[in-house]
Amino acid sequence: MAWRVRAAVRDDAAALALVAAATFLDAFAGVLEGADIVAHCGKHNTPAAFAEWIDDPAGAVALVEAIPGGAPLGYMLLTAPDLPIETGPDDIELKRIYTLSRWYGAGMGPALMNQAFDDAADLGKSRILLGVYGGNLRARAFYERHGFVLAGERRFLVGSTWHDDVVYAREV
């Protein structure tokens, strides 16, 4: 199947909410409690939230979609940093980068990461930060392959359960 990465527009908010919930479930089923996954997605993966992120001129949202048809397969979200490490005006957070696991190995993850680097540079940022579940070794290896290094730790609430995350940083 062919696919493409493109900048998200406001009309993509519902598709982004769908793929965000699907990829979160896909990534964490069997790791996190089901009720926590549902609560997290219901709170954070809404069309309204994605519409706000798309409208924010200080961030960027990209969508991977199937060709033909435009079915959402993954996405990337850059926002102002909200991490427990020292940040500055030249920093941006890679808040989310996900693809459906069925498409792992198809090049979508690297394409989204390259889009994140390009978008961060276009926004005048010089460093990308991100937080990731410490036990997600696949994601951590992906970030390290793309030049990210450990920069700190945080506790992250999913539903009603706290988890230990690591924070990575990389120059753009």
Side-chain angles (χ1 to χ4, degrees), residues 117-171:
F117 296 150
D118 290 347
D119 288 345
D122 289 347
L123 290 166
K125 304 302 179 181
S126 61
R127 187 170 74 151
I128 296 180
L129 306 167
L130 65 89
V132 61
Y133 172 54
N136 190 341
L137 301 181
R138 181 183 182 94
R140 292 181 66 178
F142 173 79
Y143 298 133
E144 290 168 8
R145 280 193 307 276
H146 285 87
F148 286 86
V149 296
L150 287 173
E153 298 177 344
R154 74 171 173 186
R155 301 271 297 157
F156 188 76
L157 185 64
V158 178
S160 62
T161 306
W162 287 95
H163 300 276
D164 294 316
D165 283 7
V166 294
V167 177
Y168 281 101
R170 181 194 189 274
E171 298 300 314

Side-chain angles (χ1 to χ4, degrees), residues 8-10 48-61 77-81 92-93 95 119 123 125:
V9 297
R10 199 165 228 284
F50 277 99
E52 283 185 37
W53 286 318
I54 290 166
D55 289 345
D56 182 358
V61 184
L77 170 62
L78 290 171
T79 67
I92 196 160
E93 182 179 349
K95 189 114 178 132
D119 288 345
L123 290 166
K125 304 302 179 181

Side-chain angles (χ1 to χ4, degrees), residues 3 5 64 97 99 103-114 142 146:
W3 52 270
V5 175
V64 179
I97 184 170
T99 64
W103 303 105
Y104 287 178
M108 292 176 192
L112 284 169
M113 186 61 75
N114 288 334
F142 173 79
H146 285 87

Side-chain angles (χ1 to χ4, degrees), residues 42-86:
K43 181 177 181 181
H44 299 286
N45 295 333
T46 65
F50 277 99
E52 283 185 37
W53 286 318
I54 290 166
D55 289 345
D56 182 358
V61 184
L63 176 66
V64 179
E65 63 184 6
I67 301 172
L73 306 173
Y75 73 107
M76 177 278 300
L77 170 62
L78 290 171
T79 67
D82 181 22
L83 294 164
I85 66 169
E86 188 173 332

